[in-house]
Amino acid sequence: KEKASDAATADLTQIPTELRTDVHTIEIHHAPFERLTVAIKIPVINHKMKQRDFPAGGGAGGDRYNTESSGVGDIEVVGVIPFMEKGEEKLDVHLGLRFPSGEISERDDVPDGAGGVARELLPRSMQTGSRTVAVVTGFSYRGDWEGLGWGVHGTGSIGFGENHRDYRAGNQMEFAGWLAHDVTSWLSGSFRLGFDYQMRSRGKRQAGPVDHLDSFRNTTEHKVLEVAPGVSVGVPGFEGQRVRFEAAWPVYQDANATQIDRDWNLMAGWDWVF
């Protein structure tokens, strides 16, 4: 992996060394009609970035500091429509909108190079939203074969217009295939193979501190292939409730420019059907 100091230049001196993102999502599904389920996703996001402010041109020294941002992200409202059902196999199509409820103007204190601090606009990777509307579409095809559940899933988002900082977040595509098996009536295991392609943003080349590596649109493009085993456990005494855990590790990733590599993800969820 490239060292942080290797990415520093005369113009880019603020270099991220670690980014942790925690997302808590409230997801509600409701079926107002027999052939329509409405899914609402409300993400609450917290970003924490460790970074260094290198001397111009790189080299040793420089301040080490942390920045943080948090808030509600962009809310999605998606309709899920059954398209085909044949035996144990089902195909659903998804269509909806992502609304600009997140922020792109988050700020935090950073060293000013003179022994003090200045409250600066944070780079794109530290913002909680996009401030543009996006169409969200996709499909899910799933089935069951002798007790083995399987499925494939694909989603995409296409943004429109530009926000008040004259850029638009890049379009995104996600594809996944999975297998699941019930070990007992209350315990099941799963395995997922997923591919995530985040395209570069459009519009203004730089949005954020001019000397920060993550302020530029070429650092928003990223491709990741990951493997993710998981487990789902029924909650004793609470019918219709299950807790889910999934850990994901990248087996391949490619970025358009110098970026922080994705390390691992951990997902924990609580499903309640009533």
Side-chain angles (χ1 to χ4, degrees):
K1 294 183 180 178
E2 190 173 25
K3 296 180 180 179
S5 57
D6 293 337
T9 67
D11 298 319
L12 296 176
T13 58
Q14 294 187 53
I15 309 298
T17 58
E18 181 180 319
L19 173 62
R20 172 175 172 171
T21 298
D22 297 322
V23 182
H24 298 83
T25 303
I26 301 170
E27 188 168 339
I28 302 170
H29 290 229
H30 176 61
F33 307 103
E34 184 178 355
R35 292 186 56 82
L36 174 65
T37 299
V38 178
I40 302 173
K41 298 181 182 180
I42 307 172
V44 179
I45 301 170
N46 179 253
H47 295 300
K48 294 181 180 179
M49 178 180 281
K50 295 181 180 180
Q51 51 196 40
R52 291 180 64 182
D53 190 0
F54 287 92
D63 294 311
R64 297 177 183 267
Y65 59 98
N66 300 332
T67 54
E68 185 173 355
S69 63
S70 60
V72 175
D74 291 344
I75 296 173
E76 287 186 12
V77 179
V78 177
V80 181
I81 305 169
F83 186 78
M84 183 274 288
E85 184 172 352
K86 182 180 179 181
E88 298 295 329
E89 300 179 17
K90 297 180 181 180
L91 173 63
D92 296 332
V93 294
H94 308 174
L95 182 62
L97 292 174
R98 181 180 299 149
F99 296 94
S101 49
E103 269 298 334
I104 61 169
S105 298
E106 297 285 351
R107 295 175 177 269
D108 203 356
D109 293 335
V110 301
D112 62 4
V117 295
R119 194 157 188 83
E120 278 196 0
L121 177 69
L122 295 174
R124 300 183 201 220
S125 58
M126 291 289 289
Q127 301 299 333
T128 60
S130 64
R131 283 295 169 184
T132 54
V133 174
V135 172
V136 179
T137 185
F139 72 93
S140 58
Y141 186 39
R142 62 192 186 278
D144 185 86
W145 180 72
E146 297 185 357
L148 181 66
W150 57 269
V152 292
H153 177 75
T155 61
S157 63
I158 303 173
F160 293 92
E162 294 184 350
N163 53 42
H164 63 272
R165 296 196 180 277
D166 301 322
Y167 73 89
R168 181 178 76 237
N171 299 334
Q172 187 172 13
M173 295 188 298
E174 296 181 13
F175 297 96
W178 74 89
L179 298 172
H181 179 65
D182 290 333
V183 181
T184 67
S185 60
W186 55 270
L187 175 66
S188 64
S190 64
F191 179 82
R192 179 178 62 86
L193 180 66
F195 177 72
D196 180 8
Y197 179 22
Q198 174 68 57
M199 304 179 193
R200 70 168 63 186
S201 59
R202 303 296 180 184
K204 193 174 183 180
R205 177 174 177 268
Q206 176 258 328
V210 69
D211 55 351
H212 198 294
L213 180 66
D214 276 5
S215 293
F216 298 86
R217 69 182 179 205
N218 63 337
T219 62
T220 61
E221 186 174 353
H222 204 172
K223 302 172 187 175
V224 179
L225 179 68
E226 63 183 12
V227 295
V231 64
S232 175
V233 182
V235 180
F238 294 89
E239 186 176 353
Q241 299 185 44
R242 299 181 72 87
V243 292
R244 295 178 291 115
F245 301 94
E246 182 186 80
W249 290 271
V251 293
Y252 166 81
Q253 53 186 318
D254 179 43
N256 185 64
T258 301
Q259 297 180 26
I260 298 176
D261 287 336
R262 185 181 297 184
D263 194 357
W264 57 274
N265 293 320
L266 176 65
M267 187 280 292
W270 176 27
D271 297 332
W272 187 2
V273 180
F274 57 91

